[in-house]
Amino acid sequence: MSAPALYDPYRVCPSRQLLDRIGDRWTVLIIGTLEDGPLRFSQISRLIDGISQKMLTQTLRSLEADGLVVRTVYPEVPPHVEYELSALGRTLLEPLEILRAWAVDHMDEVATARAAALG
Amino acid sequence: MSAPALYDPYRVCPSRQLLDRIGDRWTVLIIGTLEDGPLRFSQISRLIDGISQKMLTQTLRSLEADGLVVRTVYPEVPPHVEYELSALGRTLLEPLEILRAWAVDHMDEVATARAAALG
DNA sequence: CAGGATCCTGGCGGATACTG
DNA sequence: CAGTATCCGCCAGGATCCTG
């Protein structure tokens, strides 16, 4: 790193970081499950069919590091860990809902266009 | 494909497709450049510093196939091709702006949390 | 000018096995 | 229960060269 990068996408606009955050395959799904309250690791795992435990752990850790999710460990045997949205994380729910609404309203048009593009 | 996939993320919720669409590194940036009107290939290329010509072509083709962008070829020499947002594409601007607003308002908190997570 | 075709690499993410 | 550790396939995406 002799010189600063001429092009650092993370400095172009702050929304780039957000898009990286929510663009991955699991983040939004996990946030969705936590919308109604705290859940345990195994509960999230069961709610999101198809997620590997590696990716669940990894994404939860990342969400925690970003301050979007709070992780609470109850010192019991067997272990009991709960995850819940932080105040910051909850502020993200509304933008995501708006995005979801757009998808519900327009993704059939996208699907139609895509199908037409093939024919 | 002897049996249908038990877990097809594309059927879980329509917003998954949208997130795949806008989650990649270039889609939103390209849509952003087209917000104020049609542009030529080389103009977009110059506005988005760091994009390879392969990814620009590929993403534009994909946006066109999804009906979000309209591609117009003017039969001239040298070639003249313009890209602009479709009506459908323009409806996506508002949700994206809301997301961008969230990023502007809160990404510093995320950055702070992330920094604290390291120490 | 606006791409098409190729080669190549990093790292996302799945599978599996093991642990306190 | 809630993870950690390891191996590995796949492909998004960059670099490069070529063309109508």
Side-chain angles (χ1 to χ4, degrees):
Chain A
M1 56 166 73
S2 53
L6 286 179
Y7 175 70
D8 181 356
Y10 285 88
R11 309 189 49 170
V12 171
C13 65
S15 54
R16 184 85 290 281
Q17 296 154 279
L18 176 59
L19 288 164
D20 277 353
R21 173 76 269 185
I22 67 174
D24 76 86
R25 202 166 303 284
W26 303 114
T27 290
V28 172
L29 292 178
I30 291 178
I31 290 179
T33 66
L34 296 177
E35 191 164 352
D36 298 323
L39 288 177
R40 306 180 58 158
F41 186 92
S42 54
Q43 291 179 302
I44 304 175
S45 182
R46 252 173 282 115
L47 285 172
I48 304 179
D49 196 17
I51 192 171
S52 65
Q53 121 295 49
K54 170 189 170 183
M55 289 316 297
L56 180 52
T57 298
Q58 187 172 302
T59 308
L60 283 171
R61 286 285 187 280
S62 176
L63 285 167
E64 187 193 4
D66 284 0
L68 297 171
V69 158
V70 176
R71 178 172 181 266
T72 307
V73 180
Y74 297 92
E76 303 173 357
V77 175
H80 182 168
V81 181
E82 278 192 355
Y83 297 89
E84 63 182 324
L85 291 178
S86 68
L88 180 59
R90 263 177 269 118
T91 67
L92 189 52
L93 287 175
E94 190 179 331
L96 289 181
E97 169 56 27
I98 291 174
L99 219 56
R100 200 192 63 81
W102 188 94
V104 170
D105 289 346
H106 298 288
M107 284 312 279
D108 58 335
E109 301 177 52
V110 171
T112 301
R114 210 179 302 191
L118 297 178
Chain B
M1 56 167 75
S2 53
L6 285 180
Y7 175 70
D8 181 356
Y10 285 87
R11 308 190 49 169
V12 173
C13 64
S15 54
R16 184 86 288 278
Q17 295 154 281
L18 176 60
L19 288 165
D20 278 352
R21 172 76 271 183
I22 68 174
D24 75 88
R25 201 166 304 284
W26 303 115
T27 290
V28 171
L29 292 176
I30 292 178
I31 290 178
T33 67
L34 296 177
E35 189 164 356
D36 298 325
L39 289 177
R40 305 179 58 159
F41 185 92
S42 53
Q43 292 179 303
I44 304 175
S45 182
R46 252 173 282 115
L47 285 172
I48 304 180
D49 197 17
I51 192 171
S52 66
Q53 143 293 5
K54 172 189 169 183
M55 288 317 296
L56 180 52
T57 299
Q58 187 172 302
T59 309
L60 282 171
R61 287 285 186 280
S62 177
L63 284 167
E64 188 193 4
D66 284 358
L68 296 170
V69 158
V70 176
R71 179 172 181 265
T72 308
V73 181
Y74 297 93
E76 304 172 356
V77 176
H80 182 168
V81 181
E82 278 191 356
Y83 296 89
E84 63 182 324
L85 291 178
S86 68
L88 179 59
R90 273 190 300 277
T91 66
L92 189 52
L93 288 175
E94 190 181 328
L96 289 181
E97 169 56 27
I98 291 174
L99 219 56
R100 199 192 63 81
W102 188 95
V104 170
D105 289 345
H106 299 288
M107 284 313 278
D108 58 335
E109 302 177 51
V110 171
T112 302
R114 211 179 301 192
L118 296 179

